[in-house]
Amino acid sequence: MRRLTVIVAAMMLATLPLSAQEHKRPDYGKNEIGVSYGYLTNNMTVAVFAEVLTLGHSDIDSFYSGGASINYLHYVHPVVGVGAVATYEYGWEPEHAADFHHHYYTLMPQVKIYWFNHKYVAMYSRIGIGATYLHGRRDGARDTSWRPAFQLSGICLEAGGRVRGFLELALGNMGNLLAGVKVNF
């Protein structure tokens, strides 16, 4: 947790020199909706480490669909957008067939801060903190719980006009590698 706090503070401090510059963002609208797919989510990462540390004897879902996300942002400043993101992921263990599976529903408020935003290309960072609801079955019994969730997308690139594709190098419940498309209106 301490490491995450230091990383977030460093990212925010890195954007301070940008505030002294004149911010002219393309006039594509103050709202944004995007969809993305993320690979190597927190669930996948935890499962891999658990398998390695327990020499294959962990009781954690072994396969994951990856995170499918939809997000909304409203720009309160030319370089700062606030909003929310919802992510869904499915996990299962093939040895147990259909009796060992989980659905992961994540909801996080988020903030997006642009490094720069030109007419056809931009770079930004994103942070989100929220919760994941886990629902499924384990060995014939219902299994539900709540878990903390976060997303820290440090290096992100988007390209296009009003409709843009984006790639994110990140850490979190949406995935560590994300690709998607967004539209401003």
Side-chain angles (χ1 to χ4, degrees), residues 32 57 77 97 114 138 167:
E32 170 184 311
H57 296 288
H77 185 272
Y114 277 100
R138 179 186 306 269
L167 297 171

Side-chain angles (χ1 to χ4, degrees), residues 23-32 75 77-78 114 117-121 158 160-164 182-185:
H23 299 290
K24 290 186 177 181
R25 79 186 284 274
D27 188 20
Y28 296 137
K30 288 191 169 205
N31 298 295
E32 170 184 311
Y75 288 92
H77 185 272
Y114 277 100
N117 189 359
H118 300 301
K119 190 170 183 177
Y120 298 111
V121 68
E158 62 184 33
R162 181 177 296 276
V163 177
R164 291 183 172 188
K182 67 162 201 146
V183 62
N184 286 85
F185 58 96

Side-chain angles (χ1 to χ4, degrees), residues 2 8 20-21 25-26 40 57 59 79 84 89 103 108 110 120 123 129 131 137-138 155 162 165 169 171 176 179:
R2 193 177 270 166
V8 170
Q21 301 173 11
R25 79 186 284 274
L40 288 174
H57 296 288
D59 194 20
V79 297
E89 185 171 27
H103 302 272
M108 296 180 284
Q110 67 175 338
Y120 298 111
M123 284 189 73
I129 298 174
R137 299 195 74 72
R138 179 186 306 269
I155 302 172
R162 181 177 296 276
L169 183 58
L171 179 65
N176 295 350

